[in-house]
Amino acid sequence: MTKGLAIVTGAGRGIGKAIAQRLKADGFQLLIADLDAEAGEQAASELDARFLKCNVGDENSVAQLFKAADGMGSPLHVVVNNAGIIRDGVIWKLDSQDFDLVINVNLRGTWLMCREAAIRMRQQGYGRIINIASRAWLGNPGQTNYSASKAGVIGLTRALALELARKGVTVNAVAPGLIDTPMTRNLPEEVRQKLINSQPGKNIGSPKDVADAVAFLASEENGFINGQVIHVDGGKSISTLAF
Ligand code: NAI
């Protein structure tokens, strides 16, 4: 007997994979999605999950993902919108494609996923939607496109929480700070070190730190935390000091 079906996007690696691992351990049946088929297949075989290649920024691709979910025989209880990308640079060095791409995946992709989830969850009268934002929604230099996309995800989360509150569905956001994943390992080493040194604890979080917060929001126990943003960032978001 599973706890129902959970969909996790961008679960081929990094934070998404850790979230999928944790939800599996918590007893959910898993459908994982990623643009990278090789990484997704690998994660699915490790987790005994179903994998579907999906581009969350593409409406048809998202529709196919939910069609697959409908055929899996378990009620859709959890959707974690984790897929996200960066195209960093100060605004005068970015072109509009860098903006469009980041907004399309991070914000429009999350919106497309939320719409499909909402249709199903309001009908069944239960659901947990968790959107992975970022501490950068507060504003990060070099990330005008990314910060805008993640601030948008938080606006979307809050509005949808209100739309679904009477239907037994909660919608929350988790905003990670600096987390040790391929995304941050690909940063130039000096930038990475500078970011670590600017943390209140001079530390970097693990994907598991994020997965643990998501697991609580995804659980039945959480019926009354709704429309919130949980920062998993070692306290960086409340820091007013330059460390
Ligand atoms: P990552 O780059 O290591 O993994 C992201 C995964 O998403 C990859 O497997 C990738 O193939 C997949 N993906 C990319 N575009 C996609 C698309 N259009 N459709 C479906 N899948 C797609 O990233 P990481 O670090 O694990 O980040 C996961 C989420 O956490 C992202 O939303 C990111 O913005 C957010 N985040 C990460 C932080 C960090 O320090 N690593 C900090 C704050 C937020």
Side-chain angles (χ1 to χ4, degrees):
M1 182 71 180
T2 74
K3 286 189 183 165
L5 181 64
I7 299 178
V8 184
T9 66
R13 67 183 204 188
I15 292 170
K17 190 173 178 184
I19 293 169
Q21 255 158 0
R22 173 64 198 262
L23 294 181
K24 180 78 189 181
D26 286 354
F28 291 95
Q29 190 184 357
L30 272 185
L31 173 58
I32 66 174
D34 205 292
L35 192 56
D36 180 341
E38 205 182 316
E41 295 283 8
Q42 175 65 33
S45 77
E46 286 170 31
L47 293 170
D48 188 24
R50 171 138 187 228
F51 168 72
L52 215 75
K53 182 175 176 179
C54 171
N55 176 0
V56 298
D58 180 276
E59 195 164 359
N60 287 330
S61 191
V62 169
Q64 288 304 314
L65 178 67
F66 279 84
K67 210 173 144 192
D70 291 341
M72 284 180 72
S74 293
L76 179 62
H77 281 176
V78 176
V79 171
V80 184
N81 294 309
N82 163 81
I85 57 168
I86 49 174
R87 290 291 182 278
D88 292 353
V90 284
I91 198 167
W92 52 92
K93 289 188 179 165
L94 291 180
D95 60 41
S96 60
Q97 279 178 5
D98 297 319
F99 181 81
D100 292 345
L101 195 59
V102 168
I103 294 292
N104 188 54
V105 175
N106 297 4
L107 180 53
R108 187 167 174 276
T110 301
W111 187 88
L112 290 170
M113 289 288 302
C114 280
R115 185 175 57 168
E116 294 290 344
I119 289 166
R120 289 156 178 84
M121 289 175 176
R122 70 188 292 281
Q123 209 166 34
Q124 74 194 4
Y126 181 84
R128 302 281 180 260
I129 298 173
I130 299 105
N131 295 326
I132 306 302
S134 167
R135 191 210 59 85
W137 80 281
L138 295 166
N140 253 1
Q143 293 196 313
T144 50
N145 49 1
Y146 184 76
S147 292
S149 74
K150 295 299 191 177
V153 164
I154 287 168
L156 156 61
T157 300
R158 292 167 57 106
L160 187 58
L162 295 174
E163 289 187 2
L164 294 175
R166 292 185 189 173
K167 298 290 181 185
V169 181
T170 63
V171 188
N172 290 289
V174 170
L178 189 63
I179 307 292
D180 190 15
T181 70
M183 186 187 264
T184 48
R185 261 175 254 145
N186 286 336
L187 293 168
E189 189 49 31
E190 69 193 76
V191 174
R192 196 168 172 273
Q193 272 312 321
K194 214 168 139 188
L195 289 171
I196 291 173
N197 286 333
S198 74
Q199 284 284 121
K202 297 199 186 299
N203 51 5
I204 186 164
S206 71
K208 184 180 176 299
D209 291 324
V210 182
D212 290 343
V214 170
F216 175 67
L217 294 172
S219 70
E220 256 183 72
E221 283 76 20
N222 171 43
F224 210 51
I225 298 175
N226 199 11
Q228 301 303 307
V229 186
I230 311 276
H231 288 89
V232 181
D233 68 349
K236 173 92 169 169
S237 55
I238 54 150
S239 155
T240 52
L241 298 172
F243 286 91

